[in-house]
Amino acid sequence: MSDDPREKSERFRRGRDELKAIMGEGQIARLDAAYADVAPDMVEFLVSFAFGDLYARKALKPRDRQLATIAALTALGTATPQLRSHIKAGLTAGLTREEIVEVLMQMAVYAGFPAALNGLAAAKEVFAQTAKN
Amino acid sequence: MSDDPREKSERFRRGRDELKAIMGEGQIARLDAAYADVAPDMVEFLVSFAFGDLYARKALKPRDRQLATIAALTALGTATPQLRSHIKAGLTAGLTREEIVEVLMQMAVYAGFPAALNGLAAAKEVFAQTAKN
Amino acid sequence: MSDDPREKSERFRRGRDELKAIMGEGQIARLDAAYADVAPDMVEFLVSFAFGDLYARKALKPRDRQLATIAALTALGTATPQLRSHIKAGLTAGLTREEIVEVLMQMAVYAGFPAALNGLAAAKEVFAQTAKN
Amino acid sequence: MSDDPREKSERFRRGRDELKAIMGEGQIARLDAAYADVAPDMVEFLVSFAFGDLYARKALKPRDRQLATIAALTALGTATPQLRSHIKAGLTAGLTREEIVEVLMQMAVYAGFPAALNGLAAAKEVFAQTAKN
Amino acid sequence: MSDDPREKSERFRRGRDELKAIMGEGQIARLDAAYADVAPDMVEFLVSFAFGDLYARKALKPRDRQLATIAALTALGTATPQLRSHIKAGLTAGLTREEIVEVLMQMAVYAGFPAALNGLAAAKEVFAQTAKN
Amino acid sequence: MSDDPREKSERFRRGRDELKAIMGEGQIARLDAAYADVAPDMVEFLVSFAFGDLYARKALKPRDRQLATIAALTALGTATPQLRSHIKAGLTAGLTREEIVEVLMQMAVYAGFPAALNGLAAAKEVFAQTAKN
């Protein structure tokens, strides 16, 4: 059906499906638009490894994966665009706004108040663009 | 009952109870042994703010708090003693070994393989000292 | 006088006064505008713990606290908005521009030249908006 | 010839020549425009130490120095303006676009995918402004 | 020949060969000894993705890959065991001790002197265990 | 008098004197013992740039420089040996134990409690080896 040659790989197809469930239909197209010209294979690596290999495993529920990722990216403080995507994905995966906010606040304990506040600012932006869940 | 003057504060008592539930009876004594002589008020701040103010809130389940903390400390890679404590606390809070390991593996995606591998090494040590749950 | 229910807490009032002295009259209103809708209790935690518990202690002079914070935020490199606020607060607390610049330069030794240069860029912005002290 | 008093120092002249070779004729003027008013001696320290002392050493080829710097700044994730400059400098020093992209992709293994993707976004911007090499 | 079921995967076999070339015959056995019981699939992910997918690509020479990794791990400062392995791998890949030391020194410019000095301490240990190349 | 050829440089001599004042007579010998064989010029760069160029400037008092460095290294959490040296140097420069402890505690606000606690553990070790000031 698809003309995307990457779909020959089972890992890629599995990752694509995971990503669709988490970040919506257009996410691979958005990743391709951003990175395919500069690094043609990078999106495939990301989709196949992060989503096809890891996220597809059943050992952790999707909402738990988002919770862990939101915590980590907030603590690191160096990946604001990705934090925004995962806050949005967290809502899709069933985390409530209250739970996401609580994780961000908790990061004040482990990574300091600036990290937590900058995480909350990212959440505020995402929430403003998202219908209340 | 207790002679600990810090217990006059409701926040401290609430934090003490949280900490006891998460890290066992002796945790405040261990923190006091480590820090009370060098920084007499630090344990009180930690217990009252981190555990009395934040962890005591109901917006997030205890196992979710540990999951978030384990993710963050693994990603940061600068807090191995605290990561060990929270892996242990995660088991107490109801996370399975498999869930904890899965979070640690997932950190390879967000903070790199060395961070994930060093987190797994910490988990291995904790698991070796802990009855299988 | 105030209708702010948080002012019932002595810790909050003490933090509010510290913050007013360091960052001027409107700082709590600015923090509320930024965070109160997304995380209603976060500003209270920040004011009560960071400023009411810690900054209010006499063991360190206000200008020394700002000097330490400016150094730390510059070295971390992940908290530019907060670094700007604390450079401004440092001026209020009695640090000279020359002292602030010297701390930022010194961070080249401990966190690398990019961290120091990005800190100097933040200082330049703040100084441009501030009457020469 | 030059009226720049810093040129009396051999280290500065050597660093200036290194910098000219790596980042083009106008780089010291750009650094002075950015930092000379706020921190008059900082550009001299940067040029003399980083470029006059270190980069001028023959133990590593210029393209290898840029490769190392690109890797480090991508992994740190806190120095985007400097990363852009060094991606550009890498092209000048003889790294191909393909080599630079490959280093950035490799950083996914050591610092996580967000660090690598943000590095690729920086490279994409630089490449768009640069004649294909 | 091998009984290792992971060897059915072409990616794993390719990664295994890369790793053997870089870190010697016993490296997968060492990784398995460290991580296979706690996280049975992690070594496979590491070998297949990092070495099978990325390192196996021809866009960058093996010695350049090690140079980039050594720079990044030194700058991060959170992965000393991995830094040691890659310093050793760098020697195998053809980097001279002088080149490795030069990269570590250069990190003083981008991540500060402590990062560079701690990297040099790691190199000193590795060099002491390694026949002079 | 001295046979050290580095002492021909005014910057090195100035740095050596600064370092002697801050870290005692034997510090350059200790640095040479640690790094001179692996990176013969690194100690000279460190002494000349960090101490000869920067610390020798009068824009900041020695105790303020140590305060800033202690704050930064605690926040970074990746340089424990250097943090210990600078806590000791801070005592020599006139900071009281109480002031150093207070800076370390304050880092909980900006870099999280684990960073602050690990800093306090370092201070405890240094204080145990140091006559009470």
Side-chain angles (χ1 to χ4, degrees), chain C residues 49-50 54-55 57 59-60 63-65 67-69 71-72 75-76 86 99 102-103 105-107 109-110 113, chain F residues 49-50 54-55 57 59-60 63-65 67-69 71-72 75-76 86 99 102-103 105-107 109-110 113:
Chain C
F49 171 60
L54 272 174
Y55 274 72
R57 292 156 63 91
L60 210 58
R63 58 87 71 190
D64 287 351
R65 291 198 185 275
L67 194 129
T69 298
L76 289 173
H86 283 281
E99 287 173 320
E102 197 71 21
V103 169
M105 290 174 69
Q106 187 174 315
M107 290 305 105
V109 177
Y110 299 103
F113 275 87
Chain F
F49 171 61
L54 271 174
Y55 274 72
R57 291 156 62 91
L60 210 57
R63 59 86 73 188
D64 287 352
R65 292 198 183 275
L67 195 130
T69 298
L76 290 173
H86 283 280
E99 287 173 321
E102 197 70 22
V103 168
M105 290 174 69
Q106 186 174 316
M107 290 304 106
V109 177
Y110 299 104
F113 275 87

Side-chain angles (χ1 to χ4, degrees), chain B residues 44-63:
Chain B
E44 183 174 358
F45 286 150
L46 174 64
V47 173
S48 300
F49 171 61
F51 298 96
D53 285 348
L54 271 174
Y55 274 72
R57 291 157 62 93
K58 302 298 172 206
L60 210 57
K61 281 179 294 182
R63 59 87 72 190

Side-chain angles (χ1 to χ4, degrees), chain A residues 49-50 54-55 57 59-60 63-65 67-69 71-72 75-76 86 99 102-103 105-107 109-110 113, chain B residues 49-50 54-55 57 59-60 63-65 67-69 71-72 75-76 86 99 102-103 105-107 109-110 113:
Chain A
F49 171 61
L54 272 173
Y55 274 73
R57 292 156 63 90
L60 210 57
R63 57 87 73 188
D64 287 352
R65 291 198 184 275
L67 195 129
T69 299
L76 289 172
H86 283 280
E99 287 173 320
E102 196 71 21
V103 168
M105 289 173 70
Q106 186 173 316
M107 290 305 105
V109 177
Y110 299 104
F113 275 87
Chain B
F49 171 61
L54 271 174
Y55 274 72
R57 291 157 62 93
L60 210 57
R63 59 87 72 190
D64 287 352
R65 290 198 185 276
L67 195 129
T69 299
L76 290 172
H86 283 280
E99 288 173 320
E102 197 71 23
V103 169
M105 289 173 70
Q106 187 174 316
M107 290 305 105
V109 178
Y110 299 103
F113 275 88

Side-chain angles (χ1 to χ4, degrees), chain B residues 6 13 23 26 62 76 78 90 97:
Chain B
R6 297 174 298 191
R13 289 197 310 271
M23 296 195 180
L76 290 172
T78 49
R97 289 182 178 205

Side-chain angles (χ1 to χ4, degrees), chain A residues 9-25:
Chain A
S9 149
E10 194 199 320
R11 294 170 63 240
F12 183 83
R13 290 198 309 272
R14 201 167 52 223
R16 174 208 61 190
D17 292 346
E18 281 295 317
L19 203 50
K20 201 180 293 183
I22 301 167
M23 295 195 180
E25 185 71 48

